[in-house]
Amino acid sequence: MIEKTKTRLWVLLLELFSLSVLIGVFNLFFFENPGFLKTALNPYIILSFLAAAYYGRLAGYMSFIFSSIVILLIYPPAHSILGTPLSITKHIEVLINNLEVSHAFTIPVVYLLGLIRENYGGALQSLKNRFKNLTREKWRLIKETEGLKEVYKELEERISRQHESITLLYSQIQKLNNLRLYEALKVLLEIVENFTEAERASVWQYSSERKALLLHASIGYSE
């Protein structure tokens, strides 16, 4: 994450420097207006304002610095290459003479635009984070709701089965009053089978005379 941020910063700085150089190349065609200081809408200053408004104070300051480097250091040698020599001293003197009071407000305006952008960006990022949190909370609630529905469904099924079991148990108990012992034991085994889901069950009694267990009733065993 940090590496990506650094990469984006370097790309941004390279773009700002390239734009400053591009404006400087265009400025070479206006020899009598170095730095476009005589122009009301100065491209260098506008670039700094736009950088501050879109990317923050740092971008605005760096754009201003890049533009200053292009105007002070690149402009004179470029003119010499084009056959119109221009000394740095003379160049600086021309720049100073063309400065106006409005140019002094460039840095404060860059600061204000950058500050507004950063505050707006912070608020926007806060809203994005809140939206992400709300989205995650929504999906969590949806999953919990689905889970509760499954639990509710299971409880309904269990209650329904218990109701049926209670009804069956009552009817079976009513039968016991009119049955003989063997038949009553069979009914009890059926009750055990229904409530425990046992596949097989049996009732044995120990006979002291035979000294062995005697089968009285069974269910689920092959005869």
Side-chain angles (χ1 to χ4, degrees), residues 169-222:
L169 177 61
Y170 177 77
S171 62
Q172 296 288 57
I173 290 175
Q174 292 298 317
K175 291 180 181 179
L176 294 177
N177 297 326
N178 302 319
L179 296 177
R180 292 177 298 176
L181 178 61
Y182 175 76
E183 295 173 342
L185 290 176
K186 293 285 287 187
V187 171
L188 288 174
L189 289 177
E190 290 178 359
I191 293 174
V192 171
E193 181 184 29
N194 289 327
F195 278 87
T196 64
E197 298 182 357
E199 296 181 357
R200 292 178 294 180
S202 59
V203 177
W204 298 75
Q205 183 181 17
Y206 178 75
S207 174
S208 57
E209 295 178 356
R210 298 184 182 182
K211 295 183 179 181
L213 292 174
L214 300 178
L215 178 64
H216 279 272
S218 65
I219 189 171
Y221 291 93
S222 58

Side-chain angles (χ1 to χ4, degrees), residues 39-209:
T39 305
L41 297 176
N42 190 309
Y44 295 106
I45 296 177
I46 292 176
L47 177 61
S48 298
F49 289 167
L50 291 176
Y54 278 94
Y55 300 107
R57 287 174 292 179
L58 177 61
Y61 294 147
M62 294 307 299
S63 176
F64 180 80
I65 292 173
F66 291 151
S67 297
S68 300
I69 292 174
V70 170
I71 295 171
L72 291 173
L73 302 180
I74 298 179
Y75 192 81
H79 263 280
S80 299
I81 294 173
L82 294 175
T84 53
L86 178 66
S87 65
I88 295 179
T89 305
K90 179 65 176 177
H91 178 58
I92 294 175
E93 182 181 346
V94 172
L95 291 175
I96 293 174
N97 292 333
N98 289 330
L99 285 175
E100 297 181 2
V101 177
S102 59
H103 296 141
F105 292 97
T106 301
I107 295 298
V109 173
V110 167
Y111 174 82
L112 291 176
L113 290 175
L115 189 63
I116 293 172
R117 167 63 181 84
E118 290 166 6
N119 289 335
Y120 170 76
L124 183 61
Q125 186 62 39
S126 178
L127 289 175
K128 288 181 179 179
N129 293 336
R130 184 178 179 185
F131 178 75
K132 290 180 180 179
N133 292 333
L134 289 175
T135 302
R136 284 195 294 266
E137 186 68 16
K138 174 186 175 182
W139 283 111
R140 186 181 67 82
L141 290 175
I142 290 175
K143 291 181 179 179
E144 288 183 356
T145 302
E146 292 176 351
L148 290 174
K149 286 181 179 179
E150 292 295 327
V151 172
Y152 180 73
K153 182 179 179 181
E154 179 66 21
L155 288 175
E156 280 189 331
E157 292 177 355
R158 289 187 179 184
I159 292 173
S160 177
R161 288 196 298 267
Q162 288 180 358
H163 178 73
E164 294 174 357
S165 300
I166 292 172
T167 304
L168 177 62
L169 177 61
Y170 177 77
S171 62
Q172 296 288 57
I173 290 175
Q174 292 298 317
K175 291 180 181 179
L176 294 177
N177 297 326
N178 302 319
L179 296 177
R180 292 177 298 176
L181 178 61
Y182 175 76
E183 295 173 342
L185 290 176
K186 293 285 287 187
V187 171
L188 288 174
L189 289 177
E190 290 178 359
I191 293 174
V192 171
E193 181 184 29
N194 289 327
F195 278 87
T196 64
E197 298 182 357
E199 296 181 357
R200 292 178 294 180
S202 59
V203 177
W204 298 75
Q205 183 181 17
Y206 178 75
S207 174
S208 57
E209 295 178 356

